Amino acid sequence: MKLEGVELRRIAMPLVAPFRTSFGTELNREVVLVRVVSPDAEGWGECVAMSAPRYSSEYVDAAADVLRRFLVPALLALPDPDVYGAERAFARFKGHPMAKAALESAVLDVSLRESGTSFGTFLGAVHDTVPAGVSVGIMDSVPELLTAVDRYLDEGYLRIKLKIEPGWDVAPVRAVRERYGAELLLQVDANTAYTLADARHLAKLDPFDLLLIEQPLPEHDLAGHASLAQLVRTPICLDESITSAAVAVHAINIGATRIVNIKPGRVGGYLEARRIHDVCAAHGIPVWCGGMLETGIGRAANVALAALPNFTLPGDTSASDRYYTRDITDPFVLEDGHVRVPTGAGLGVEPDPDALDAVTVSTEWLAA
Ligand code: SMG
Ligand code: MG
């Protein structure tokens, strides 16, 4: 494949409601979109870094910088770029998995559009639709939380994830479990807000039969998660900690994680995400697809990934209207609690030019 160049586009999209986690509140989603152009097609990728380095060390301005100065030039220097060559070229630079994933996805998209293959087919999808969960932010009060959960369940979401932090954990979990009963698929996500000294407190979540507790301890503390797993009955699921297939295997082997959240951005792209899916399957560890408040571009790829066979738990792959009044692609909608896997070439969706214009902050073109 020959490339003509790469466009980096900054967009900003207001969320329909503030989304509060243990590390901060998101109101306005700033995103770097990547467009890779060949003579015959163009491919899109979405960088999932947030505005500030709070979920992980990456953030939007740093991602734009590393793309502009290192990753895009490395891609454009390849004599015959494809997704595998791009992955190898990016591996020479340390870190920045979200920036790498965005550009790698755009390369994959353009090549799949050229060959008429969908993301789902390329990755190995085995389902036409995927079950949708929803991640519910920290609220000011339990009644406010129940109002939000009521609405999501009315809309058809099949699983509820509550964001937790010290001071907002047992009480909201109890209230939701009591209101909706034992059948509700319910899990929690701490985004690293606890320490091992909180083990006895976290064990108070055990009676509520949660599917999992996601990332209770800091990112680098795999050993701590293994110790915590001996002290709580609720399965531990790692998110932030799982940065590669190698780390996933290590975490599984030491007993730090019984379920894995896969986010392609966190692990450097869809190739590595698929490897994590595969090694988890080989170890009997179920996986599910995380979310980073994606637009329809990132969502299309995530939904395709979530259709692989070992994605056996509903993901944070919610419908577009859970995030945005107007998505930049045709919106993803809930159908009986499921989201449909696109079948067209590449991502199977593209930005609507007017919707994109309305949210664009700046663009830059890097020519081959
Ligand atoms: O995309 O629905 C979504 C968000 C899901 O909770 C979600 N993501 O740690 O899993 C996580 C968080 C990270 C982003 S919080 C701003
Ligand atoms: Mg998480």
Side-chain angles (χ1 to χ4, degrees):
M1 186 169 60
K2 289 274 166 269
L3 297 180
E4 294 181 345
V6 175
E7 181 189 74
L8 302 179
R9 179 182 294 254
R10 282 284 285 263
I11 63 171
M13 295 172 57
L15 290 166
V16 292
F19 183 57
R20 180 171 158 206
T21 67
S22 62
F23 61 78
T25 304
E26 310 297 320
L27 298 161
N28 188 33
R29 187 71 174 99
E30 292 182 284
V31 179
V32 182
L33 290 179
V34 178
R35 183 168 65 98
V36 171
V37 181
S38 80
D40 303 313
E42 57 180 38
W44 291 88
E46 172 170 349
C47 180
V48 300
M50 300 275 160
S51 304
R54 293 205 184 101
Y55 166 81
S56 72
S57 64
E58 284 185 280
Y59 60 102
V60 177
D61 286 343
D65 187 68
V66 78
L67 280 160
R68 177 189 306 119
R69 291 175 55 198
F70 301 104
L71 303 178
V72 171
L75 174 71
L76 295 177
L78 295 176
D80 185 16
D82 68 0
V83 66
Y84 304 101
E87 187 186 46
R88 275 194 304 276
F90 302 162
R92 294 189 287 118
F93 302 100
K94 307 288 189 204
H96 302 282
M98 294 172 178
K100 290 173 178 172
L103 187 55
E104 188 197 285
S105 309
V107 172
L108 181 56
D109 187 31
V110 69
S111 64
L112 293 178
R113 287 186 202 258
E114 287 192 358
S115 69
T117 310
S118 71
F119 251 69
T121 299
F122 171 81
L123 292 171
V126 295
H127 304 290
D128 299 335
T129 65
V130 297
V134 60
S135 176
V136 187
I138 294 167
M139 308 261 166
D140 291 333
S141 70
V142 166
E144 199 185 323
L145 173 70
L146 295 177
T147 304
V149 174
D150 271 349
R151 202 188 62 240
Y152 289 132
L153 292 176
D154 280 349
E155 291 175 18
Y157 285 103
L158 298 171
R159 177 277 270 154
I160 297 291
K161 160 166 138 180
L162 303 181
K163 289 294 197 176
I164 60 168
E165 66 181 4
W168 181 264
D169 43 33
V170 177
V173 166
R174 177 186 292 116
V176 170
R177 182 54 92 205
E178 281 177 356
R179 182 171 175 95
Y180 305 103
E183 319 79 58
L184 176 69
L185 299 181
L186 182 62
Q187 62 193 53
V188 294
D189 185 1
N191 289 109
T192 76
Y194 296 86
T195 72
L196 197 50
D198 298 311
R200 294 225 295 194
H201 180 70
L202 291 171
K204 293 183 187 154
L205 295 171
D206 284 343
F208 302 108
D209 284 317
L210 301 177
L211 291 166
L212 57 90
I213 174 167
E214 185 177 343
Q215 197 70 42
L217 309 182
E219 172 181 342
H220 297 292
D221 194 6
L222 287 183
H225 283 101
S227 299
L228 182 62
Q230 304 293 317
L231 301 169
V232 302
R233 221 179 55 226
T234 308
I236 290 174
C237 169
L238 293 180
D239 170 358
E240 284 90 329
S241 295
I242 305 296
T243 50
S244 68
V247 171
V249 169
H250 178 58
I252 292 166
N253 283 338
I254 68 166
T257 197
R258 271 163 58 187
I259 299 168
V260 169
N261 167 326
I262 299 185
K263 288 178 183 165
R266 195 191 64 225
V267 305
Y270 287 83
L271 298 178
E272 188 69 5
R274 182 169 59 181
R275 286 180 206 114
I276 295 176
H277 164 272
D278 294 350
V279 297
C280 287
H283 286 80
I285 297 291
V287 304
W288 56 281
C289 187
M292 293 293 287
L293 311 172
E294 285 89 349
T295 73
I297 293 296
R299 191 164 308 283
N302 282 351
V303 167
L305 179 72
L308 269 62
N310 193 38
F311 281 82
T312 51
L313 293 167
D316 285 341
T317 43
S318 311
S320 295
D321 68 359
R322 180 256 173 271
Y323 312 93
Y324 305 110
T325 319
R326 184 187 187 193
D327 206 335
I328 56 172
T329 62
D330 281 348
F332 283 82
V333 295
L334 273 195
E335 301 172 40
D336 229 357
H338 291 66
V339 174
R340 190 162 289 282
V341 180
T343 52
L347 293 173
V349 299
E350 44 273 307
D352 169 76
D354 293 335
L356 192 56
D357 269 358
V359 295
T360 295
V361 175
S362 63
T363 62
E364 55 190 298
W365 174 252
L366 303 163

